[in-house]
Amino acid sequence: MPLTILSGAQLRSLLESLDHDQIVSIQQHLANALRDYSVGNQDSGCAATFQPRRTAVTRHNGSTTLFMPASTRHTIGIKVTSLQDGGGPLGCEVDSGMDLRGVRKSIPGEAGSRHSMASVSSELSELSVSSQEDAAGRSSSTSSGAESLPSASLNNIPIDAAAGGVSKTMGAWPGAGTRDTSPQGSVTLLDDNSLPFGLINAHELTPFRTALTTMMLLKKRKRVRTIVVFGAGKQAYWHIRLAVILRGADMKRVFIVNRSFQRAAQLLREIYAPENSSWRGTVKFSAVSSDFGEYRRILHDAIHKADAIFCCTPSHEPLFPAELLTSHEGRRKGRLISAIGSYKPQMTELDPEILRQEVAVQPPHRHFHKHVQRSGVVVVDSLDAAMKEAGELIQADIKSHQVVEIGELLMVRDAVRDAAKDPMEDDDTKHLQQWVERGNIIFKGVGLGLMDLVTGSDLVELARERRIGTTVDEF
């Protein structure tokens, strides 16, 4: 069995060579796996019952290492990834959700937490979507003073000038938001005989497959003109790149929000590099840091204009005030909000009040045109992992019946697509379709080893076809 090894640079080269159709093909394979994971299609081998439990340790140096095994019908694998966040205790700490053998302990109140999709239909049946959303969106898109920002700007300073700044520590230690916080590690892939066929550096794979998952929701949105991205690392880069490749014909503006001048300027320089002109298109990119004097005004305007918000930071505090989305003005349009950066219960990118209001389903309002009705659910990649690890859910006291997996949502999407051909489709189906296309969707991703296994296998196959990487013929 030949073993293909992909370094970080080799994988990056491969990923950046992918065109629209190849990305869609890899994404479809991942979507099928996530659907089977959630709905229990045991013929595929991706069902949750076939996925070994993940576990984690925090070492003496504060580095958290996550062990994520996975399996499909024909492959098995494990991802080992670490992040130096300095937030752990001294000594080693085993994930409290596991015993020392890696067997999950019982969690009070969570028995039978893998709920059926029937609850989603009933939760969303009262969903209403503004009939004036498009008109309101068009009106708000022309009212902002932030439009005066240059297309390649950072706090109204040209990229090159902004990049010349130094951190407040004068380089003795990276300034806030200047470190690359992407996880380090690798993914090992084995066939059904346990023979290794792939070894991939996870530094680039992790953000790519995470962004690929978020884009499953973005692809179905009716309106995607303005995107706000928090963070300036690899997760931000791949969310931006894939969003533009998949929806660039509709997009007009991307706002990058980051604490550091240097990191934001670096990302903008990368986006505006000549080799990226093929996917960048005519989309305008601007960045702003929290040090900017006009930060609050521009953030307020960008959030209100946003059709999608991608949060890609390991933040311990909410990235923006809840009222920007929970106020009457903030709720006049539906948005896709993805939070994938936080990975511990004490971390949060979204104010808990945003989630609490989203799951607080109320009786139908008589004046639907005034705002988008709450959906009643939060979308996650894995119910079990998110209920234990996602700080946003934990701090907002979200219950398992208020959560739906993206795999279940994909199943509903397929059902809606089939029902669209049926003139007898019911009101619930219409509401679901409206929600997917126009309503509020909050997605909280914590990551699955299955995502790395499925995406990594496709990439190894592509790498062999293109003779990228190092191949050991007889490993």
Side-chain angles (χ1 to χ4, degrees), residues 362-384:
Q362 297 178 345
H365 199 285
R366 296 186 65 180
H367 303 290
F368 292 151
H369 65 280
K370 291 187 176 181
H371 58 74
V372 176
Q373 190 75 10
R374 304 179 184 99
S375 67
V377 295
V378 176
V379 182
V380 300
D381 46 9
S382 168
L383 172 65
D384 297 335

Side-chain angles (χ1 to χ4, degrees), residues 272-293:
Y272 277 96
E275 60 268 23
N276 287 326
S277 61
S278 61
W279 65 265
R280 189 177 64 235
T282 60
V283 179
K284 294 182 179 180
F285 299 84
S286 298
V288 61
S289 79
S290 55
D291 290 335
F292 182 40

